[in-house]
Amino acid sequence: MALVRFTSRGGVFHGWYIVAVAFVANATSGIGSYSFGLFFEPMGGSLGWSRTAISWALTIRAIVNIAAGPVLGPLLDRKHGPQLIMTLGGVLIGVSLMLTAGVNQLWQFYLLSALIFVGAGGATNLTAGRLVGIWFPQTRGRMMGIVTAGNNFGGMVSVSAVAALIVAVGWRNSFLLIGLVMAAVTLLIYLIVRDKPEDVEKEIGKRWAPKGATSSAIRAALSGLTTSEAVRSRIFWLLLVGMATQQFARTSVTSQLIPHLEQEGFSTVTAASALSLLAFFAMTSKIIFGRLSETITAIYSYVVIIAIQVAGLALLAIVSSSQVIWIGLILFGLGMGGVGALGP
């Protein structure tokens, strides 16, 4: 039976369905990023890999993100809209996760990790920024905060669930099941996401349509500097360096947090709870600073969250007191979370 394209029902502005599916896509991505550390011990014990060897997948992630962005960006702008890029990204993530269930060699794990990260770039933030800009041009900050909070929501609710899943069915079947969840989300993306300006213009005036959703605002959201103009501007390079630097800090801490806390004497359950707490405050940060960016601008909001992130990281790195570690987790979560909302 042929799939039926989703259409707005009851006159509800279709942008809200877009936000919902983008939130879910980010939540699914958050399952992988936050629960990565849970797989260290079972994969290492089963396959004889060290934590360092497994962690090299994160270095591959950084390299892939650098290489994939300049490729996916022009495809998104010139030839293919968010719907196609998000769908293909979701398929790539789901298939790669399911294939990871069968790895036996490190090179296989690295290759599939690279494919997952390519898919994540297309299925989450890169495309979400464009979608939110088109559907909510005058309230982009707060809506990006909601959409990107999905990543932290997924991490918050999934850490304990994935830990239990690994115990119940093993790490291989856990990868398989997470891949199947991503496949279901990909179907939602295909059915719901619409990304052309004329699609949005047809929704103007419908129930719960945001203020400022006009044809001129929608078209203006798609305008901007050319590539050559951007690379000649100082702000482009400052943003590039600043965002890359914090990304290394954020990824290193979230992926290694559970093993680190276990070495500090925390139980696995407590360490998983700590990661959930981190995700909760990161989610809160996205909503707060996404909204704040509409008043004090994204640049000044970014300066504030980096300062908070540094303070939290200093407490985690320097102080070993368990009480202070919890404060550090809260601060680091508040600092790292808003980046996802402000970046686009």
Side-chain angles (χ1 to χ4, degrees):
M1 184 175 69
L3 292 173
V4 178
R5 299 287 295 158
F6 183 93
T7 57
S8 297
R9 296 177 180 176
V12 175
F13 184 70
H14 190 74
W16 294 107
Y17 300 110
I18 302 285
V19 165
V21 76
F23 178 92
V24 172
N26 273 272
T28 308
S29 174
I31 294 175
S33 59
Y34 277 88
S35 63
F36 184 79
L38 294 171
F39 290 90
F40 280 20
E41 183 176 344
M43 289 185 74
S46 173
L47 300 171
W49 300 345
S50 67
R51 185 193 302 175
T52 300
I54 297 174
S55 296
W56 267 100
L58 297 173
T59 302
I60 294 172
R61 172 183 181 172
I63 295 171
V64 167
N65 281 341
I66 292 170
V71 175
L72 292 174
L75 290 176
L76 189 64
D77 283 336
R78 300 173 187 170
K79 299 179 181 179
H80 309 291
Q83 189 219 28
L84 179 61
I85 301 299
M86 287 184 76
T87 301
L88 292 178
V91 169
L92 193 58
I93 296 171
V95 171
S96 298
L97 283 170
M98 288 186 276
L99 290 176
T100 301
V103 299
N104 291 297
Q105 301 293 327
L106 268 172
W107 71 265
Q108 297 171 339
F109 179 59
Y110 293 156
L111 174 61
L112 292 170
S113 294
L115 294 176
I116 290 170
F117 297 140
V118 170
T124 55
N125 274 16
L126 185 64
T127 45
R130 180 180 170 94
L131 280 173
V132 170
I134 295 173
W135 285 92
F136 297 90
Q138 300 301 315
T139 53
R140 182 169 54 182
R142 70 192 75 178
M143 299 313 299
M144 276 305 303
I146 294 172
V147 166
T148 56
N151 179 275
N152 308 113
F153 177 80
M156 182 179 65
V157 301
S158 70
V159 172
S160 297
V162 172
L165 190 64
I166 293 173
V167 172
V169 301
W171 65 268
R172 292 186 184 275
N173 287 329
S174 296
F175 272 119
L176 181 62
L177 291 173
I178 295 171
L180 290 173
V181 170
M182 190 65 220
V185 172
T186 302
L187 180 61
L188 284 176
I189 291 171
Y190 175 76
L191 292 174
I192 292 176
V193 170
R194 286 189 274 163
D195 47 56
K196 295 180 176 59
E198 50 268 30
D199 292 330
V200 188
E201 289 169 346
K202 293 176 183 176
E203 300 289 314
I204 294 175
K206 287 194 173 182
R207 190 158 19 119
W208 300 338
K211 294 180 179 178
T214 63
S215 295
S216 58
I218 293 164
R219 302 285 173 174
L222 296 175
S223 64
L225 301 180
T226 64
T227 302
S228 60
E229 289 171 340
V231 298
R232 289 198 301 269
S233 66
R234 185 170 66 100
I235 191 66
F236 171 81
W237 295 103
L238 290 173
L239 284 172
L240 179 65
V241 173
M243 297 194 73
T245 304
Q246 70 79 31
Q247 178 74 2
F248 282 117
R250 183 188 68 81
T251 303
S252 299
V253 172
T254 54
S255 64
Q256 303 294 332
L257 184 61
I258 288 180
H260 169 70
L261 291 178
E262 289 175 338
Q263 287 182 345
E264 291 291 325
F266 287 68
S267 68
T268 301
V269 173
T270 304
S273 298
L275 196 57
S276 295
L277 180 72
L278 184 77
F280 172 79
F281 281 98
M283 178 177 65
T284 304
S285 175
K286 283 183 167 69
I287 295 172
I288 292 173
F289 287 99
R291 176 64 182 88
L292 199 59
S293 71
E294 296 176 12
T295 54
I296 69 170
T297 76
I299 294 291
Y300 289 119
S301 298
Y302 195 83
V303 171
V304 173
I305 61 174
I306 293 301
I308 296 173
Q309 187 176 144
V310 169
L313 184 58
L315 290 178
L316 290 174
I318 297 172
V319 183
S320 59
S321 167
S322 59
Q323 290 82 3
V324 176
I325 285 177
W326 290 106
I327 298 174
L329 285 170
I330 292 172
L331 290 176
F332 189 76
L334 287 171
M336 79 172 198
V339 173
L342 299 177

